[in-house]
Amino acid sequence: MSAVVSGVGVVLPRAASAAELMAPGPVDAPLVEPKDLIGKKGLRYKDRATQLAYCAADAALRDAGLTNEGGLCVPARSVAVVASSNYGNLDTIVRAMDTITRETAAAGSPMDLPNASSNVVASSVAIRFGLRGPNLMLCNGATSGLDAVRWALTLLEGDRASQVLVLGVEPDNQAVRDFLGGARTIDGAAALVVEDDSSATERGVSPLATLGGCVRRSGLEVCLEELDGSSDDRPALWQVPDTAALEDGLLDGVPRYDVTALFGVASGALGVLQCAAAVGWFARGGAGPVYVTAGADADDASAGLSLREPVTV
């Protein structure tokens, strides 16, 4: 099986497409207003992360030709959802706990209850777009976004889905800023549609990128060595997890690109955002393997993935 990216959605203050991830807009770009992208219907009582995920999912599904004005164009059970976010509903949890501390659990808002579940993004997106395949939510730290892509590949290899919508989202709000010591997140979302190349061919869709080796190891250096060993070509670009945390000597001579330096803390959305940026690299004429990596501490898990320019179908 050869897996490809057949659709991308990017919803950020400084970028509205994969190509713009490689050439972002002005730093004072306004915040994304979900109602301006997908209308007001269905947004009431939904948290910021879910609203942003709706926008990215809508863009990616349309880009892949899975939806049109009439709705879903493929069987509902054939499309899975894998979402990643570490801070998605943190504001809801903080608000609920503050209410319980000041008063009682009975004083909490019934509208907050669905948003208090950690899988709210994945489940809400599936419900909104009628996607009835497997549904997974990952909230497991620095590698979460790339782990979501890895799980998408697993679902395809296991014939559990024909297409997988992969989402990465992190909202910016006071609860998240307090947790991060004042740092700001991307306040946006990225989405990929991943499927087998034969599925894309049957649907007449031209892939945007081809997914290569995917590894998860202890330590970034080991991860990179395994990625490098699985490719016949040196990478043309390295999407790094955080340039400030990287040691010298890793992939010497390979250009580095740090989406977090441009857009803010990506956390659980990082891997998905990096893959979207790789698609943007190809869209702007880039060629050759692109490595995306998450996790830089030698004692912690790191994940890596290689992408290549699309093959014409």
Side-chain angles (χ1 to χ4, degrees):
M1 184 197 80
S2 179
V4 300
V5 177
S6 57
V8 173
V10 176
V11 180
L12 291 168
R14 301 178 62 195
S17 69
E20 289 178 5
L21 287 174
M22 301 301 297
V27 294
D28 59 350
L31 296 178
V32 173
E33 288 290 348
K35 69 179 189 312
D36 294 339
L37 298 177
I38 56 174
K40 295 181 180 179
K41 186 176 180 181
L43 298 186
R44 192 177 186 186
Y45 302 125
K46 297 300 182 183
D47 58 28
R48 175 77 172 167
T50 299
Q51 292 187 13
L52 292 169
Y54 282 168
C55 298
D58 180 69
L61 291 170
R62 288 179 180 275
D63 193 37
L66 295 181
T67 58
N68 57 27
E69 297 304 322
L72 197 61
C73 304
V74 295
R77 292 190 181 278
S78 71
V79 187
V81 177
V82 184
S84 172
S85 181
N86 291 321
Y87 312 125
N89 65 340
L90 182 61
D91 56 336
T92 300
I93 299 300
V94 170
R95 184 166 57 249
M97 293 306 298
D98 285 348
T99 299
I100 293 172
T101 300
R102 290 193 310 266
E103 303 176 54
T104 67
S109 168
M111 297 300 102
D112 268 347
L113 184 59
N115 298 333
S117 174
S118 60
N119 74 331
V120 62
V121 172
S123 58
S124 295
V125 167
I127 292 169
R128 182 179 180 93
F129 295 98
L131 312 178
R132 300 182 64 187
N135 190 274
L136 302 174
M137 184 79 202
L138 280 71
C139 316
N140 63 316
T143 63
S144 192
L146 281 181
D147 288 341
V149 179
R150 187 166 58 91
W151 274 106
L153 296 176
T154 300
L155 289 171
L156 293 175
E157 290 169 357
D159 201 25
R160 295 294 305 277
S162 297
Q163 295 86 25
V164 183
L165 175 66
V166 184
L167 288 157
V169 58
E170 293 294 1
D172 177 61
N173 52 55
Q174 193 58 53
V176 174
R177 281 178 235 146
D178 289 345
F179 186 80
L180 295 176
R184 305 292 289 267
T185 72
I186 59 172
D187 196 45
L192 313 170
V193 172
V194 179
E195 61 183 302
D196 185 270
D197 58 348
S198 61
S199 170
T201 300
E202 290 174 6
R203 298 194 304 110
V205 174
S206 297
L208 306 174
T210 300
L211 298 177
C214 184
V215 298
R216 196 176 196 276
R217 297 291 181 264
S218 178
L220 186 59
E221 185 174 0
V222 175
C223 188
L224 286 171
E225 287 176 353
E226 187 160 335
L227 275 180
D228 227 15
S230 66
S231 176
D232 295 331
D233 303 316
R234 284 285 278 173
L237 184 70
W238 178 18
Q239 300 272 0
V240 299
D242 182 353
T243 50
L246 295 180
E247 299 177 0
D248 293 333
L250 296 176
L251 293 183
D252 283 339
V254 176
R256 299 178 176 186
Y257 193 72
D258 183 359
V259 295
T260 63
L262 292 169
F263 297 101
V265 176
S267 192
L270 176 60
V272 185
L273 192 64
Q274 289 172 319
C275 289
V279 171
W281 159 263
F282 299 135
R284 295 174 63 86
V290 174
Y291 288 0
V292 298
T293 54
D297 193 317
D299 296 325
D300 292 334
S302 292
L305 175 70
S306 64
L307 297 91
R308 293 202 67 108
E309 61 270 31
V311 177
T312 304
V313 297

